[in-house]
Amino acid sequence: MKEKKSKRDLILETAYRLFMEKGFWDTKIIDISDAAGIGKGTVYEYFDSKDTIILELFKTKVADPYKDLSLLIDKEISCETKIKEYIEFEVFNTTKFGSNKNMLADILIKSDIFHNQVLVDEIHKLIAYKLKIMHSIIKEGIEKGEFLDVDPLLTATCIMGAVNSFISFNYNTIGPSCFINIEKSEVWDLGELYKILFSGLKK
Amino acid sequence: MKEKKSKRDLILETAYRLFMEKGFWDTKIIDISDAAGIGKGTVYEYFDSKDTIILELFKTKVADPYKDLSLLIDKEISCETKIKEYIEFEVFNTTKFGSNKNMLADILIKSDIFHNQVLVDEIHKLIAYKLKIMHSIIKEGIEKGEFLDVDPLLTATCIMGAVNSFISFNYNTIGPSCFINIEKSEVWDLGELYKILFSGLKK
Amino acid sequence: MKEKKSKRDLILETAYRLFMEKGFWDTKIIDISDAAGIGKGTVYEYFDSKDTIILELFKTKVADPYKDLSLLIDKEISCETKIKEYIEFEVFNTTKFGSNKNMLADILIKSDIFHNQVLVDEIHKLIAYKLKIMHSIIKEGIEKGEFLDVDPLLTATCIMGAVNSFISFNYNTIGPSCFINIEKSEVWDLGELYKILFSGLKK
Amino acid sequence: MKEKKSKRDLILETAYRLFMEKGFWDTKIIDISDAAGIGKGTVYEYFDSKDTIILELFKTKVADPYKDLSLLIDKEISCETKIKEYIEFEVFNTTKFGSNKNMLADILIKSDIFHNQVLVDEIHKLIAYKLKIMHSIIKEGIEKGEFLDVDPLLTATCIMGAVNSFISFNYNTIGPSCFINIEKSEVWDLGELYKILFSGLKK
DNA sequence: TATGAATGAGAGTTCATTCAT
DNA sequence: TATGAATGAACTCTCATTCAT
């Protein structure tokens, strides 16, 4: 495993680009070496396997930038500002790769899932359908004076994200592996979720 | 393509079970036929391909149940209640397959992503890390009297979900394919996001 | 793993033939399937791997025939006859595959050793050289009346084989794995070897 | 092809050591250069190929020491002594590389044969089985007073070696390449083999 | 209708060898 | 003289799909 920067980086960048474009499974080693203008064997001079490449990309492109995020906790600013800074950081971090690029999400969502565009289209159709309903409800609520004057689509998007996340963590899809060192009451109450969505965080 | 209900359903149910257990890519056609107690060729009597099976499963198990969700819009109830009903439906819908089962999420998250446990562990580690920070901030905010008395972990989870969703839709990762028939102002303002998170929806 | 006799046997026989002709390492799976007139994948329908094929061949062609050899021990015949029968069995067993064929020895000695005909020639040259010397000594011994009137070349061959075997077992090349349940005095004395070679077994 | 002694010898000695330890096929060129502390390319400055190395090793380590063995023929000693000296030389020669080391045999028997420990175990099992039978017969013969009082295991080992050798040469496995300049009667008689085994060489 | 034997394109990976420096 | 980065032919094994029965 050589460490010479340029060639290793060339492979990494090429792999990254192809993974983003075609997905991990649709990108073959030969695709990477061809696109990089090098021999297939050269890829293996720098990486043990295809798995090592995606792992390295994840670590450097995705995970590493978060390293100092925890410094945020001890900053002398209000918690509201902390959350705002967190979000700004997250937005910067996941969009810095270029317009419309969120590496992890992209690779996951791209062709990789099922090599099946028809299915991907169906999934998007469902999301669109749900979004439209939620959007319509919020719009109505605003018009009727029931809700604050927020952007209805943005809000629909956020609520859907919050709910999906709530479900995934609450009903263990993602697994308790993500709750390291944090105590979680057995099953969360929907009432708590509503509280946040309707009243927000601030006192 | 035959339509005799029983055998077709047997294949579908077996495939569904195996996809949930081992993921889509790790489930081979032979696994399905073996588990169903039928011949490998028989699978192809009822389905054109493996892709057709997952597509059918998605349609019937995931998408179809949402068919009447739009009726919610015209119900004679407050918008707050509509959203609550929406959420309750979503929770029911994604957890009805058994404890801790959310079909789509499960299949995506299972072995399928990269066949690479090391990478999956890294991803979980990052999620856990971010969650811990957010959790810590919210807890502090509550203690200091800055935030309402919410469940900090649940709230952290929801905010992360909302933010991820905001980013995905705002910066086009998922693609505009999900905004069919909805007008979206070019790029959403972070201020709008903060408004919802801190003040909530309700007036 | 199907068990239908004919195709499985076809693969086995074809592999056997090619292993004998070209050696194990020089025989590729595609060679076997081509020679058998079947598809490459078919080989894997019947055998898990190339290793499984050679193992199966060893078991059925080489090891199995020895199964009843131990019955010899309890036969009501003289020990001299027992040894003669043992040898006759061994000769039959290792030559039954056709003229000039001793499966295991052939595969080992063929191209497999080093893929290197020049080296194989050198090895043969050395054997020939040693054989010639031994042959010459024995011939002289017979002519001078020192030795019995035996076939000098045959005798030279046997002595070389006995000595090689003695060395291999005595100095552990083969490893003690072959002395299961038999007690071996630490290192054998050359005197014992001479006793057998010069005086023979019989009283 | 340079001839500078020291580096060439370093490569040779390193290759020799690794071939003995891991076998020819398991030893890669990079292993040799690494172990020798030189560059991979340097190996090719001194040797045309991996094959050239093993050939050179065979010649210098194995074959060359036999160069003067033929002088034995003309020594003024009895033929019995000649054979004894031959054997002593052979024992010395094949064991001089260190305890339990017989270069050629070692390399052949090591990992090289089939990279398949299961098969190697099976082969050893068969050898052990045959050895046990022969051992048992000889022991019985001695106890009954039919045979001389020899070491039964050593004798079994030698007889097996002699018989294998007899078969290999008699039925052409090794090929007539080893009978250069020696006349061989078409097929040897088993009677001749028995004569030597039971009566020995000496008059 | 049901089968499962047969298929072969295609993947990741290895490593002896080359050659520009 | 010495290097090691670069190479690519070659290999084993996988598995969705076909099709004769």
Side-chain angles (χ1 to χ4, degrees):
Chain A
M1 219 76 333
K2 282 98 178 189
E3 287 300 331
K4 207 182 136 218
K5 206 67 180 142
S6 63
K7 185 72 51 89
R8 193 185 140 90
D9 280 357
L10 171 65
I11 293 166
L12 233 26
E13 288 305 319
T14 311
Y16 166 65
R17 180 165 56 80
L18 293 178
F19 288 165
M20 297 285 276
E21 280 168 26
K22 325 198 300 173
F24 179 73
W25 291 106
D26 265 349
T27 302
K28 315 301 176 188
I29 292 291
I30 189 79
D31 296 333
I32 299 173
S33 61
D34 278 358
I38 60 176
K40 191 153 51 126
T42 308
V43 174
Y44 286 91
E45 287 289 312
Y46 293 90
F47 297 96
D48 283 330
S49 66
K50 210 180 150 192
D51 274 4
T52 316
I53 298 177
I54 184 77
L55 191 62
E56 179 74 5
L57 278 177
F58 175 79
K59 281 181 177 165
T60 56
K61 297 265 183 186
V62 180
D64 279 358
Y66 287 95
K67 257 177 188 153
D68 295 330
L69 182 62
S70 59
L71 298 178
L72 188 61
I73 296 174
D74 296 322
K75 270 191 169 172
E76 295 289 341
I77 50 178
S78 75
C79 289
E80 181 178 343
T81 312
K82 282 182 185 175
I83 288 180
K84 284 179 178 169
E85 288 201 2
Y86 176 103
I87 291 171
E88 272 153 29
F89 179 79
E90 189 77 333
V91 167
F92 167 75
N93 225 10
T94 50
T95 57
K96 68 184 170 195
F97 300 117
S99 60
N100 311 336
K101 297 292 175 198
N102 175 342
M103 185 193 162
L104 199 57
D106 261 39
I107 293 182
L108 258 69
I109 285 165
K110 276 278 162 49
S111 51
D112 278 352
I113 314 183
F114 303 107
H115 285 260
N116 186 337
Q117 193 53 46
V118 184
L119 177 55
V120 170
D121 291 346
E122 286 294 325
I123 293 174
H124 283 184
K125 221 167 75 188
L126 178 62
I127 295 174
Y129 174 77
K130 294 202 280 183
L131 202 55
K132 206 172 147 188
I133 293 172
M134 182 59 79
H135 172 255
S136 148
I137 294 173
I138 292 165
K139 215 168 147 190
E140 184 196 351
I142 296 167
E143 280 159 9
K144 284 187 176 159
E146 201 180 330
F147 293 156
L148 291 172
D149 185 30
V150 294
D151 182 318
L153 189 51
L154 182 156
T155 307
T157 302
C158 291
I159 291 182
M160 279 186 56
V163 171
N164 283 339
S165 191
F166 172 89
I167 291 171
S168 289
F169 282 91
N170 203 19
Y171 303 100
N172 276 30
T173 304
I174 282 187
S177 42
C178 297
F179 292 124
I180 307 154
N181 300 329
I182 319 185
E183 64 289 348
K184 173 179 181 299
S185 51
E186 262 323 284
V187 171
W188 292 329
D189 195 68
L190 276 177
E192 285 288 317
L193 174 60
Y194 299 152
K195 214 158 71 177
I196 298 151
L197 292 180
F198 295 115
S199 310
L201 256 183
K202 257 198 318 202
K203 233 174 187 163
Chain B
M1 213 73 340
K2 288 93 183 184
E3 285 300 330
K4 199 180 146 220
K5 214 40 181 162
S6 63
K7 186 146 301 178
R8 193 184 139 89
D9 280 357
L10 173 65
I11 294 166
L12 233 27
E13 287 304 319
T14 312
Y16 166 66
R17 181 165 54 80
L18 292 177
F19 288 165
M20 295 285 276
E21 281 169 23
K22 324 197 301 174
F24 178 73
W25 291 107
D26 267 350
T27 302
K28 316 299 175 187
I29 292 291
I30 186 77
D31 296 332
I32 298 173
S33 61
D34 277 359
I38 60 174
K40 198 163 29 149
T42 309
V43 173
Y44 285 88
E45 289 293 314
Y46 295 90
F47 297 95
D48 283 331
S49 67
K50 208 180 153 191
D51 275 3
T52 317
I53 298 177
I54 184 78
L55 189 62
E56 180 73 6
L57 277 178
F58 176 79
K59 282 180 177 164
T60 57
K61 296 269 181 186
V62 180
D64 279 357
Y66 286 95
K67 255 177 187 152
D68 296 330
L69 183 62
S70 59
L71 298 178
L72 188 61
I73 296 175
D74 297 322
K75 268 189 170 174
E76 295 290 339
I77 49 177
S78 74
C79 288
E80 180 176 346
T81 313
K82 282 183 185 175
I83 289 181
K84 283 179 178 171
E85 286 200 4
Y86 175 102
I87 291 172
E88 272 153 30
F89 179 79
E90 189 78 333
V91 167
F92 167 76
N93 223 13
T94 49
T95 57
K96 69 185 171 197
F97 300 115
S99 60
N100 310 335
K101 297 290 176 200
N102 175 341
M103 185 190 162
L104 199 57
D106 260 40
I107 293 182
L108 258 69
I109 284 165
K110 277 276 161 54
S111 51
D112 281 351
I113 315 182
F114 302 106
H115 286 263
N116 184 338
Q117 193 54 44
V118 183
L119 178 54
V120 170
D121 290 347
E122 287 292 327
I123 293 175
H124 282 187
K125 221 168 75 189
L126 179 60
I127 296 174
Y129 174 77
K130 294 203 279 183
L131 201 55
K132 208 172 144 189
I133 292 172
M134 182 58 79
H135 173 257
S136 148
I137 293 172
I138 293 165
K139 216 168 146 191
E140 184 197 348
I142 297 167
E143 281 159 10
K144 285 187 174 160
E146 200 181 331
F147 294 156
L148 291 172
D149 186 30
V150 295
D151 183 321
L153 189 52
L154 182 156
T155 307
T157 302
C158 292
I159 290 181
M160 280 185 57
V163 171
N164 283 339
S165 191
F166 172 89
I167 291 170
S168 290
F169 283 91
N170 202 19
Y171 303 100
N172 276 30
T173 303
I174 283 188
S177 41
C178 296
F179 293 122
I180 308 154
N181 302 327
I182 320 184
E183 65 289 346
K184 175 180 178 297
S185 51
E186 260 324 284
V187 172
W188 292 330
D189 195 67
L190 276 178
E192 285 290 316
L193 173 59
Y194 298 152
K195 212 156 74 178
I196 298 151
L197 293 180
F198 293 116
S199 309
L201 256 182
K202 256 195 322 199
K203 239 183 183 152
Chain C
M1 219 79 332
K2 282 96 178 191
E3 286 301 330
K4 207 181 138 222
K5 207 65 181 144
S6 61
K7 184 74 48 95
R8 193 185 139 89
D9 280 356
L10 172 65
I11 294 166
L12 232 26
E13 288 304 319
T14 310
Y16 166 64
R17 181 165 55 79
L18 292 176
F19 288 166
M20 296 284 277
E21 281 169 25
K22 324 198 300 174
F24 179 73
W25 291 105
D26 265 350
T27 302
K28 314 301 175 189
I29 291 290
I30 190 80
D31 296 331
I32 298 174
S33 60
D34 278 357
I38 60 175
K40 191 159 46 132
T42 308
V43 173
Y44 286 92
E45 287 290 313
Y46 293 90
F47 297 95
D48 283 329
S49 66
K50 211 180 148 192
D51 274 5
T52 317
I53 298 177
I54 184 78
L55 191 61
E56 180 75 5
L57 278 177
F58 176 79
K59 280 181 177 164
T60 57
K61 297 265 182 188
V62 180
D64 279 358
Y66 286 95
K67 257 178 186 150
D68 296 329
L69 182 63
S70 59
L71 298 177
L72 188 62
I73 296 175
D74 296 322
K75 269 190 170 172
E76 295 289 340
I77 49 177
S78 75
C79 289
E80 181 178 342
T81 311
K82 282 181 183 175
I83 289 180
K84 284 178 177 171
E85 286 200 3
Y86 176 103
I87 290 173
E88 272 153 29
F89 178 79
E90 189 77 333
V91 166
F92 167 75
N93 225 10
T94 49
T95 57
K96 69 185 172 197
F97 300 117
S99 60
N100 310 337
K101 298 290 177 200
N102 175 342
M103 184 193 164
L104 199 58
D106 261 41
I107 293 182
L108 258 69
I109 284 166
K110 276 278 162 50
S111 50
D112 278 353
I113 315 183
F114 303 106
H115 286 261
N116 186 337
Q117 192 53 46
V118 183
L119 177 55
V120 170
D121 290 346
E122 286 293 326
I123 293 175
H124 283 185
K125 221 168 75 189
L126 178 61
I127 296 174
Y129 174 76
K130 294 203 280 183
L131 201 56
K132 206 172 146 189
I133 294 173
M134 182 59 79
H135 172 256
S136 146
I137 294 173
I138 293 165
K139 214 169 148 192
E140 184 197 351
I142 296 166
E143 281 159 9
K144 285 188 175 159
E146 201 182 330
F147 293 157
L148 291 171
D149 185 30
V150 294
D151 182 320
L153 188 53
L154 182 157
T155 307
T157 302
C158 291
I159 290 181
M160 280 184 56
V163 171
N164 283 339
S165 190
F166 171 89
I167 291 171
S168 290
F169 282 91
N170 202 20
Y171 302 100
N172 276 30
T173 303
I174 283 187
S177 43
C178 297
F179 292 124
I180 308 153
N181 301 328
I182 319 185
E183 66 288 347
K184 175 179 179 299
S185 50
E186 264 319 287
V187 172
W188 292 330
D189 195 68
L190 277 178
E192 284 288 317
L193 174 60
Y194 298 152
K195 213 158 71 179
I196 298 151
L197 293 179
F198 295 116
S199 308
L201 255 184
K202 254 198 322 201
K203 238 182 184 155
Chain D
M1 213 71 342
K2 288 93 183 183
E3 286 300 330
K4 199 180 146 218
K5 210 52 182 152
S6 63
K7 187 147 298 178
R8 192 185 141 90
D9 281 357
L10 173 65
I11 295 167
L12 233 26
E13 287 304 318
T14 310
Y16 165 65
R17 181 165 54 79
L18 292 176
F19 288 165
M20 296 285 278
E21 279 170 24
K22 325 197 300 176
F24 179 73
W25 290 107
D26 268 349
T27 301
K28 315 300 176 189
I29 291 291
I30 186 77
D31 296 331
I32 298 172
S33 61
D34 277 359
I38 59 174
K40 201 168 20 157
T42 310
V43 174
Y44 286 88
E45 288 293 315
Y46 294 91
F47 297 95
D48 284 330
S49 67
K50 208 181 155 193
D51 276 4
T52 317
I53 299 177
I54 184 78
L55 189 61
E56 180 74 6
L57 277 178
F58 175 79
K59 282 181 176 163
T60 56
K61 295 271 182 184
V62 180
D64 279 359
Y66 287 95
K67 255 176 187 154
D68 297 330
L69 183 63
S70 58
L71 299 179
L72 188 61
I73 297 174
D74 297 322
K75 268 191 173 172
E76 296 289 340
I77 48 177
S78 75
C79 288
E80 181 177 344
T81 311
K82 282 182 183 174
I83 288 180
K84 284 179 178 170
E85 286 200 3
Y86 175 103
I87 290 172
E88 272 152 30
F89 178 79
E90 189 79 333
V91 167
F92 166 75
N93 223 10
T94 50
T95 58
K96 69 185 170 194
F97 301 115
S99 59
N100 310 335
K101 297 289 177 203
N102 174 342
M103 184 192 163
L104 199 58
D106 260 41
I107 293 182
L108 258 69
I109 284 165
K110 277 277 163 51
S111 50
D112 282 350
I113 313 182
F114 301 107
H115 284 265
N116 184 338
Q117 194 53 47
V118 183
L119 178 54
V120 170
D121 289 347
E122 287 293 326
I123 293 174
H124 282 185
K125 221 169 74 189
L126 179 61
I127 295 174
Y129 174 76
K130 294 203 279 184
L131 200 56
K132 209 172 145 186
I133 293 172
M134 181 59 79
H135 172 256
S136 148
I137 293 173
I138 293 166
K139 218 170 145 190
E140 184 197 350
I142 296 167
E143 279 158 10
K144 285 189 175 159
E146 202 181 327
F147 293 156
L148 290 172
D149 186 31
V150 293
D151 182 321
L153 189 52
L154 182 157
T155 307
T157 301
C158 292
I159 291 182
M160 280 185 57
V163 170
N164 284 338
S165 191
F166 172 89
I167 291 171
S168 291
F169 282 91
N170 201 20
Y171 304 99
N172 277 30
T173 303
I174 283 187
S177 41
C178 298
F179 292 123
I180 308 152
N181 303 328
I182 319 185
E183 66 290 346
K184 175 179 178 297
S185 50
E186 261 321 286
V187 171
W188 292 330
D189 195 66
L190 276 177
E192 285 289 316
L193 174 61
Y194 298 153
K195 214 158 71 179
I196 297 150
L197 293 179
F198 294 116
S199 309
L201 256 183
K202 258 198 317 202
K203 235 179 186 157

